[in-house]
Amino acid sequence: MNLPIYLDNNATTPTDPRVVEAMIPYFTEFFGNAASRNHPFGWKAEEAVSYAREQIAALIGANEKEIIFTSGATESNNLALKGVYEMYAAKGNHFITVSTEHKAILDACKHLEKQGAEVTYLSVGEDGLLNVEQIAEAMKPDTVLVSVMYGNNELGVIQPIREIGALCKERGVLFHTDATQAVGKIPVDVMADHIDLMSFTAHKMYGPKGVGALYVRRKNPRVKVTAQLDGGGHERGMRSGTLNVTGIVGFGKACELCRLEMADEAKRLSALRDKLENALLTVEESYLNGNKANRLPHTTNISFKYVEGEGLMMGIKDIAVSSGSACTSASLEPSYVLKSLGLDDELAHSSLRFGLGRFTTEEEIDFTIKCVSDAVQRLRDMSPLWEMFKEGIDLKSIQWSEH
Amino acid sequence: MENRIYLDNAATSPLDPEVMEAMIPVMRDYYGNPSSTHAHGRKVKGMMEEARGSVAKLLGCSPAEIFFTSGGTEADNLALRSAVKDLGVKNIISSPIEHHAVLHTAEELAHKGMAELHLLPILPNGHVDMQALEQLLQTHKNCMVSLMHANNEVGNLLDMQRVAELCQKHQAYFHSDTVQTMGHYRFNLSELPVDFLAGAAHKFNGPKGVGFAFIRKGRKISPLITGGSQERELRGGTENIYGIIGLAKALEISYRDIDSKSAKISALKFLMLEKLKAEIPGVEFNGDAEGESLYTILSVSFPPNPIGPMLLFNLDLAGISASGGSACSSGSTVGSHVIQCLRPGTDRTTVRFSFGKFNTEEDILSTVAKLKEWYA
């Protein structure tokens, strides 16, 4: 067992060695530009890109023509939101999204608001889930797009995507989902889920960093987005730039592996996750965040009351976890996702997100259970707050004086 | 792809084995997210910052002025779009023979009414009309000049120092698409007063899917891709760490070998040029091939001949990979906008041969021999 143990697979995943193997020939021998139309270096690259498109489309029930390659999920999210805003300006300017979305969505919405968009941010229940009724109520005649993430990156909760998709279809509103955490982990079917646009990325499913995709529906309805990067007109004019052939080959292989192994892997991971979660929830004053039933198989998010967050992170140095999204982990602010579930700052600070992955072993989980439980115990032994709590003092009733 | 001759290095270049060696361990073992605060994340963050430092040192700028992107197209878009959005640019001065990443972006901004686009006249030898540039700068305020360092189809080199100084004199911003010259020429950005540059690793024997923008300190712009605070809040998205390591390594190798590499490639270009002149009656060269021209590109204009429309196809059958122009539009039926500009309505045939460090004299001689069969 190598230390530190990596349990931050929601931030990024190791590249599967089989993916690396698939990529290597496209670094060396087949280095052509997929847009070169008059020699075999170009054809070979284009052929590899087409094959990857099929592998990717097969995982999500799409047609390969509906896959637009990007540099990653953040770019896909930007292209979906900003691209729809520009393309459908004549139809309306109202967007509906959720306060627990990833920063890439929220920041893009903020940007659009400055441009004149009206955005409704729905809040979630204590369990992190949205009710499809909330969306129905928020819809207006000028609503253009609903964007709801598939599986939440911090909690793992899965939103009622199929119901939301059906509602949007019925109302003639476009539906985008940021499925970065869900694709490759659970079955996602863009047809059954009535998804019009979907963002996802390779590096969250054991593929390489720097490559992602936006699914753009071609039929019923035919969806279009305005390009955010202009140039050679690649990707049906929606995204210019020389294709990252090697990365795309890796992305394709990663999708294929997920498609073939997902069912068994989800069972294995949820068993390990449940073992970890059940053990940590036996620690006194520890709480699970988010809905337990509708959840990604590899994620759990647990708060440890009366423990100081930074101390906890320092106390479990042998385990790589995070207290929230990697994209915001440099900031000392508590997670806005946990806060929108109703957690106070302190509890949000003392929460850990565990993201298990393909290479996580039972031995690592056993070690983690012991390491985290011990660290919590140790920190509480030194904590006057814990002592007061044990003495039965209601901490909320105390008036702290300023020093 | 054994036994084939690759003369399309301006479309994309073979990955240097040394670069691959630097990248594979990153893919295999250093898989953290650079934004994560734990050991896995800190390790790759450190590697990434080292790569940024190395690129900055080679270019003579500060690491804080290097922003990694998904490639040259994104870097060009970032410069133009944010100059209009954030720097108050109202006039974009460019040329009709720019790469589409610049030209189409500028046209889009003009179409939206966000800026006026001025395209400079091109002289018969393919260079931009500097007098016209100066006049425009004198008569217009809030300008950004976007001119590529070397044209990707005909190889004409811009006098960047002169344009930069003109821009400085007239308080205009200067962006240059240096995608074709990065790694082939030395840049010293502490002395060259340019505001924005765009580079793409795969054009200097690095990986595809990664590039960078140089943005001079003090040019306060906002991101095109929002979400996450990566790249000093200028470019959201998990960083392509192995690509970034590969980019830095490729640039280091390019600079390390720059003198021998440029001498070698330049010799190949002139060998081809002289041989073609001697062997093929009526052959001409587009642009300023023997003057101010990038040493990796030779754009050949063949006289009208029945084989003309099928020339690239026949070259391909003969095992030689070249192109008619930019790869980005090689499938289009419109033809090259660059050749249209330089030789309107021509019935001659253009082939762009572009050379790299892995080409040999033999490659050139076999190619010329083949062409001679058809044209002599």
Side-chain angles (χ1 to χ4, degrees):
Chain A
M1 193 173 65
N2 289 325
L3 296 179
I5 290 165
Y6 191 69
L7 288 178
D8 201 11
N9 286 280
N10 293 35
T12 188
T13 54
T15 315
D16 191 299
R18 293 170 291 179
V19 169
V20 179
E21 284 312 309
M23 290 169 71
I24 285 173
Y26 292 89
F27 274 132
T28 51
E29 201 182 348
F30 310 122
F31 61 82
N33 185 324
S36 290
R37 294 285 158 80
N38 35 46
H39 55 68
F41 291 92
W43 302 333
K44 189 75 194 168
E46 169 57 22
E47 199 181 290
V49 169
S50 298
Y51 185 62
R53 248 187 247 282
E54 285 171 24
Q55 290 171 312
I56 294 163
L59 178 65
I60 60 166
N63 179 289
E64 67 269 15
K65 292 197 181 90
E66 298 174 314
I67 306 297
I68 303 295
F69 287 114
T70 66
S71 64
T74 295
E75 188 188 336
S76 298
N77 283 333
N78 272 261
L79 176 56
L81 269 61
K82 296 174 184 174
V84 163
Y85 180 73
E86 283 185 49
M87 183 60 75
Y88 295 87
K91 193 190 171 225
N93 70 339
H94 180 232
F95 281 42
I96 299 172
T97 189
V98 190
S99 60
T100 51
E101 291 288 310
H102 188 272
K103 272 277 174 224
I105 295 288
L106 297 177
D107 283 1
C109 285
K110 291 271 175 307
H111 172 89
L112 291 177
E113 281 179 304
K114 278 186 214 151
Q115 308 242 304
E118 186 197 340
V119 183
T120 301
Y121 299 90
L122 299 173
S123 47
V124 293
E126 275 183 4
D127 62 354
L129 289 178
L130 194 69
N131 188 329
V132 68
E133 290 303 315
Q134 291 172 268
I135 295 178
E137 280 163 27
M139 278 185 178
K140 304 196 296 185
D142 61 348
T143 304
V144 185
L145 183 85
V146 170
S147 180
V148 177
M149 77 202 306
Y150 212 113
N152 185 272
N153 54 315
E154 296 194 30
L155 307 168
V157 297
I158 300 171
Q159 299 293 356
I161 293 299
R162 193 160 295 181
E163 288 82 347
I164 299 171
L167 170 73
C168 290
K169 193 171 177 60
E170 184 197 317
R171 301 285 184 92
V173 172
L174 293 176
F175 177 40
H176 167 256
T177 181
D178 173 358
T180 303
Q181 297 289 346
V183 171
K185 315 290 169 49
I186 56 169
V188 168
D189 184 327
V190 292
M191 296 308 286
D193 290 341
H194 312 293
I195 293 165
D196 296 313
L197 297 138
M198 181 169 82
S199 308
F200 54 117
T201 191
H203 80 98
K204 307 276 192 193
M205 51 168 118
Y206 314 98
K209 292 179 182 60
V211 60
L214 180 66
Y215 159 80
V216 182
R217 180 178 283 274
R218 260 166 73 92
K219 262 192 235 164
N220 306 317
R222 184 181 180 86
V223 180
K224 281 178 130 184
V225 292
T226 302
Q228 299 299 300
L229 296 180
D230 283 311
H234 308 74
E235 298 300 87
R236 298 199 287 128
M238 289 190 247
R239 203 281 188 179
S240 289
T242 297
L243 288 175
N244 177 358
V245 178
T246 322
I248 288 169
V249 166
F251 191 10
K253 183 70 186 177
C255 284
E256 184 182 277
L257 293 173
C258 285
R259 184 170 60 81
L260 298 174
E261 298 173 4
M262 183 164 56
D264 291 337
E265 183 63 3
K267 273 184 219 152
R268 188 187 76 90
L269 283 179
S270 59
L272 284 181
R273 188 266 319 265
D274 291 347
K275 181 177 185 183
L276 172 70
E277 182 173 285
N278 292 335
L280 292 180
L281 289 176
T282 63
V283 172
E284 243 181 305
E285 291 297 310
S286 65
Y287 301 92
L288 176 67
N289 294 313
N291 187 287
K292 190 168 175 159
N294 297 322
R295 233 179 350 155
L296 297 170
H298 63 288
T299 307
T300 182
N301 189 312
I302 300 173
S303 298
F304 300 92
K305 218 172 174 181
Y306 310 113
V307 170
E308 196 263 321
E310 253 173 274
L312 183 56
M313 292 296 267
M314 295 298 286
I316 53 167
K317 270 194 285 195
D318 283 338
I319 299 165
V321 290
S322 79
S323 52
S325 162
C327 298
T328 41
S329 68
S331 95
L332 293 171
E333 289 289 302
S335 151
Y336 65 87
V337 173
L338 293 175
K339 287 185 76 173
S340 56
L341 263 53
L343 272 68
D344 60 26
D345 280 14
E346 272 167 75
L347 200 53
H349 255 313
S350 63
S351 303
L352 296 177
R353 172 185 74 177
F354 298 91
L356 285 65
R358 188 175 284 169
F359 305 103
T360 305
T361 63
E362 182 148 25
E363 191 191 8
E364 290 178 336
I365 292 300
D366 291 336
F367 181 91
T368 304
I369 291 170
K370 180 154 172 35
C371 176
V372 175
S373 309
D374 289 354
V376 169
Q377 188 59 51
R378 211 166 48 240
L379 289 164
R380 283 179 177 169
D381 285 347
M382 301 186 298
S383 160
L385 293 180
W386 178 250
E387 202 174 314
M388 288 158 82
F389 164 74
K390 293 302 271 184
E391 284 165 5
I393 299 168
D394 180 5
L395 291 171
K396 291 225 163 63
S397 69
I398 295 176
Q399 300 273 316
W400 303 100
S401 64
E402 299 276 341
H403 288 281
Chain B
M1 298 279 165
E2 273 162 40
N3 302 322
R4 283 199 64 96
I5 298 173
Y6 187 73
L7 294 179
D8 201 10
N9 287 274
T12 192
S13 57
L15 191 79
D16 191 304
E18 275 188 75
V19 173
M20 166 126 155
E21 267 171 53
M23 289 195 302
I24 296 297
V26 184
M27 288 179 68
R28 290 221 162 103
D29 304 322
Y30 301 110
Y31 51 81
N33 185 324
S35 296
S36 295
T37 47
H38 50 62
H40 293 83
R42 292 195 307 271
K43 173 73 191 169
V44 290
K45 175 88 171 171
M47 293 166 81
M48 188 173 80
E49 291 315 317
E50 217 171 277
R52 196 189 308 278
S54 164
V55 171
K57 199 172 163 200
L58 292 170
L59 300 182
C61 66
S62 148
E65 295 173 316
I66 299 295
F67 297 85
F68 294 116
T69 65
S70 65
T73 294
E74 185 186 330
D76 281 331
N77 271 264
L78 179 62
L80 266 72
R81 288 170 185 268
S82 43
V84 169
K85 187 161 51 97
D86 305 314
L87 300 178
V89 165
K90 295 278 176 253
N91 294 284
I92 299 174
I93 303 173
S94 190
S95 98
I97 60 170
E98 286 294 307
H99 188 275
H100 283 155
V102 166
L103 201 51
H104 285 172
T105 305
E107 284 165 358
E108 169 75 8
L109 292 165
H111 175 73
K112 284 184 182 159
M114 296 166 78
E116 202 179 325
L117 175 59
H118 310 266
L119 295 180
L120 294 170
I122 299 296
L123 305 174
N125 65 4
H127 289 298
V128 291
D129 186 336
M130 289 292 210
Q131 281 180 331
L133 171 63
E134 186 150 19
Q135 265 176 6
L136 272 172
L137 286 171
Q138 279 164 357
T139 50
H140 290 75
K141 289 212 177 320
N142 305 318
C143 293
M144 170 182 246
V145 174
S146 179
L147 292 171
M148 66 206 307
H149 185 200
N151 184 273
N152 57 316
E153 298 198 26
V154 296
N156 275 49
L157 273 177
L158 179 79
D159 185 345
M160 274 182 76
Q161 192 72 34
R162 189 172 158 201
V163 174
E165 282 165 13
L166 266 180
C167 288
Q168 208 173 29
K169 183 174 152 198
H170 296 283
Q171 281 126 40
Y173 293 105
F174 178 31
H175 164 252
S176 185
D177 175 342
T178 48
V179 166
Q180 291 294 344
T181 52
M182 192 56 65
H184 299 314
Y185 291 91
R186 285 195 181 85
F187 287 88
N188 184 355
L189 298 173
S190 65
E191 285 173 9
L192 176 68
V194 62
D195 298 289
F196 300 91
L197 295 183
H202 77 101
K203 306 281 193 193
F204 51 91
N205 307 103
K208 292 177 184 60
V210 61
F212 68 89
F214 159 79
I215 302 172
R216 191 169 294 281
K217 201 176 158 205
R219 311 302 179 262
K220 294 261 180 285
I221 63 168
S222 61
L224 286 188
I225 300 176
T226 46
S229 49
Q230 292 93 346
E231 297 299 301
R232 308 175 71 238
E233 301 194 9
L234 197 66
R235 205 271 182 185
T238 301
E239 298 90 339
N240 176 357
I241 178 72
Y242 79 86
I244 289 169
I245 300 294
L247 182 150
K249 186 71 186 175
L251 198 61
E252 283 162 29
I253 295 169
S254 295
Y255 267 73
R256 184 190 70 198
D257 302 339
I258 205 159
D259 294 327
S260 57
K261 182 181 84 168
S262 59
K264 179 194 158 174
I265 300 176
S266 186
L268 293 177
K269 170 176 170 171
F270 281 95
L271 174 67
M272 184 159 197
L273 186 143
E274 293 303 334
K275 284 277 171 196
L276 286 173
K277 269 191 192 168
E279 306 280 9
I280 297 183
V283 76
E284 290 174 15
F285 301 97
N286 295 311
D288 193 15
E290 295 174 72
E292 289 303 311
S293 181
L294 171 58
Y295 59 84
T296 60
I297 289 179
L298 183 64
S299 176
V300 184
S301 174
F302 292 95
N305 182 302
I307 200 176
M310 297 300 280
L311 183 55
L312 280 171
F313 180 69
N314 280 286
L315 277 168
D316 173 49
L317 285 182
I320 299 158
S321 298
S323 77
S326 164
C328 298
S329 19
S330 75
S332 91
T333 49
V334 198
S336 152
H337 66 291
V338 177
I339 301 303
Q340 275 302 319
C341 175
L342 296 178
R343 294 178 184 267
T346 184
D347 54 354
R348 299 173 66 92
T349 305
T350 294
V351 177
R352 175 187 69 178
F353 295 100
S354 51
F355 317 100
K357 62 181 180 180
F358 299 115
N359 285 123
T360 61
E361 242 177 60
E362 191 51 42
D363 289 347
I364 305 300
L365 296 176
S366 322
T367 304
V368 174
K370 208 67 206 164
L371 289 164
K372 191 182 164 189
E373 283 177 26
W374 300 321
Y375 279 97

